[in-house]
Amino acid sequence: MISVALADPKAEGPARLLAQSHALMNALFPADACHYLDLDALCADHIRFFAAREEAEILGTGALAIKEGYGEVKSMFTAEAGRGKGVAAAVLRMIEDTARDEGLPLLRLETGTGLDAAHRLYGRFGFEICGPFGDYAESPYSIFMEKTL
């Protein structure tokens, strides 16, 4: 059974997955198109960081960045061993629930082009394409999405 809870991004399991995620992003996109948060940034007060596990194994990560008037989905990543098990959906549900608990009216995210499985997941959750937001600029490597809560 998959469980999702608040976690320390610097703990061994989450840090290992985040390193894999960052390596993948760096391999797929130019440096200026990689908008992931480093471990220190994921420990900030306005971030709620989650890890998904099956028994003792960490299989996924995700975070909610609390912004002025909205929440941003960050650091979504699923280990290869967790793919197809509903890990990402469980993490995204937790992020949504937490955003609602925080009184946020809207969730937004930036994801990379070509990450089709992520795009399908976000679409199933009701996210729709939107324009850049916050500090993001239009980019051929980015897709921006949002969902009203």
Side-chain angles (χ1 to χ4, degrees), residues 73 76 78 86-93 96 109 115-127 145:
V73 177
M76 290 288 295
T78 302
V87 171
V91 172
L92 192 52
R93 268 192 300 280
E96 273 196 23
L109 62 88
L115 301 175
D116 298 334
H119 305 163
R120 286 190 300 272
L121 171 73
Y122 299 136
R124 283 195 311 271
F125 271 73
F127 283 83
M145 302 179 88

Side-chain angles (χ1 to χ4, degrees), residues 102-118:
E102 294 280 349
L104 298 171
L106 183 69
L107 272 179
R108 292 180 167 151
L109 62 88
E110 180 275 339
T111 187
T113 56
L115 301 175
D116 298 334

Side-chain angles (χ1 to χ4, degrees), residues 109-110 128-133 136-138 142-146:
L109 62 88
E110 180 275 339
E128 296 179 346
I129 301 291
C130 67
F133 58 89
Y136 294 107
E138 193 70 46
S142 291
I143 294 174
F144 303 97
M145 302 179 88
E146 66 183 14

Side-chain angles (χ1 to χ4, degrees), residues 8 19 26 34 38 51 55 63 77 79 94 99 103 109 111 123 133 135 140 143:
D8 178 357
N26 290 330
C34 293
D38 66 22
E55 297 178 18
F77 187 72
M94 177 64 84
L109 62 88
T111 187
F133 58 89
D135 294 333
I143 294 174

Side-chain angles (χ1 to χ4, degrees), residues 10 17 29 39 41-42 51 59 61 72 85 93 105 109 118 128-130 136 138 144:
K10 293 182 177 181
L17 281 188
F29 305 110
L39 297 182
L42 287 168
L59 294 176
T61 63
E72 184 177 353
K85 294 183 172 186
R93 268 192 300 280
L109 62 88
E128 296 179 346
I129 301 291
C130 67
Y136 294 107
E138 193 70 46
F144 303 97

